[in-house]
Amino acid sequence: MKLYIRQKVFSWKDKFKVFDSSGEEKYSIEGEFISLGKKLHIYDLQGREVAFIAQKLFSLLPRYFVYINGTEVAEIVKEFSLFRPKYSIEGLGWEINGDFFAHNYDITKNGRRIVSIDKQWMTWGDCYELDIENGNDEIVALSVVLAIDCVMASQAAAASV
């Protein structure tokens, strides 16, 4: 199953829409305008929150928590590395491999692919294609990818200052 995350270009806060392969909207994602640390809420079409992503403050390296139905299911940590970004996903047994600079990477568990992420080029605003193997992993995979995107966006912003 494929999902497409499209960032809203002109917005005061983080806003994304998620579409399925037929172009139908499936989820909306909104960041909090004023908060300590980055926070994202994922809503279904009925406006119910299906996931919440929160940055841990006062951490040496970027760290984000993923909550589903109020329960922490994963912690995404950017690990120390000199040349290539490296991330770990704690709580799910998932591993991340690929080219983060080009936004093309896979998340696997025991060698089985969970989701493949590819950045779509030549689009208005950022757009990512997620190819999710099992529909049961949809919300968690979407949340983990968004947390990784938060880390990369905040580091790109810090580097441009």
Side-chain angles (χ1 to χ4, degrees):
M1 111 184 304
K2 291 190 180 189
L3 293 179
Y4 299 88
I5 304 172
R6 190 169 313 253
Q7 183 176 20
K8 190 168 182 178
V9 177
F10 298 108
S11 177
W12 292 104
K13 59 184 178 178
D14 289 326
K15 280 190 151 187
F16 303 88
K17 295 286 184 187
V18 179
F19 301 90
D20 62 17
S21 57
S22 64
E24 297 292 318
E25 186 177 338
K26 195 149 185 187
Y27 303 102
S28 65
I29 298 131
E30 290 189 25
E32 293 184 9
F33 184 60
I34 299 174
S35 69
L36 293 174
K38 186 170 281 263
K39 294 181 176 125
L40 294 176
H41 301 268
I42 303 174
Y43 300 102
D44 65 13
L45 293 178
Q46 290 73 40
R48 294 181 300 243
E49 184 178 87
V50 295
F52 174 65
I53 303 163
Q55 178 183 13
K56 179 178 181 176
L57 296 176
F58 312 114
S59 177
L60 181 61
L61 296 170
R63 187 177 297 263
Y64 284 80
F65 298 98
V66 173
Y67 299 91
I68 307 284
N69 297 323
T71 303
E72 181 185 319
V73 296
E75 181 178 354
I76 294 80
V77 180
K78 181 172 187 306
E79 296 180 359
F80 179 77
S81 61
L82 293 176
F83 301 108
R84 294 181 44 163
K86 184 171 169 110
Y87 300 88
S88 66
I89 304 171
E90 298 172 7
L92 296 171
W94 292 4
E95 297 176 0
I96 307 171
N97 296 299
D99 185 353
F100 295 102
F101 290 121
H103 300 279
N104 293 318
Y105 55 95
D106 292 322
I107 298 174
T108 61
K109 180 175 185 175
N110 299 327
R112 182 181 64 86
R113 188 170 62 120
I114 304 293
V115 60
S116 178
I117 299 88
D118 293 306
K119 182 171 185 171
Q120 303 295 299
W121 300 99
M122 307 300 276
T123 61
W124 184 254
D126 286 340
C127 182
Y128 300 96
E129 177 185 85
L130 281 65
D131 189 359
I132 303 169
E133 293 294 317
N134 184 339
N136 293 332
D137 296 325
E138 182 176 281
I139 300 292
V140 178
L142 176 62
S143 301
V144 167
V145 169
L146 286 165
I148 292 168
D149 186 62
C150 286
V151 172
M152 292 171 38
S154 66
Q155 290 188 320
S160 67
V161 173

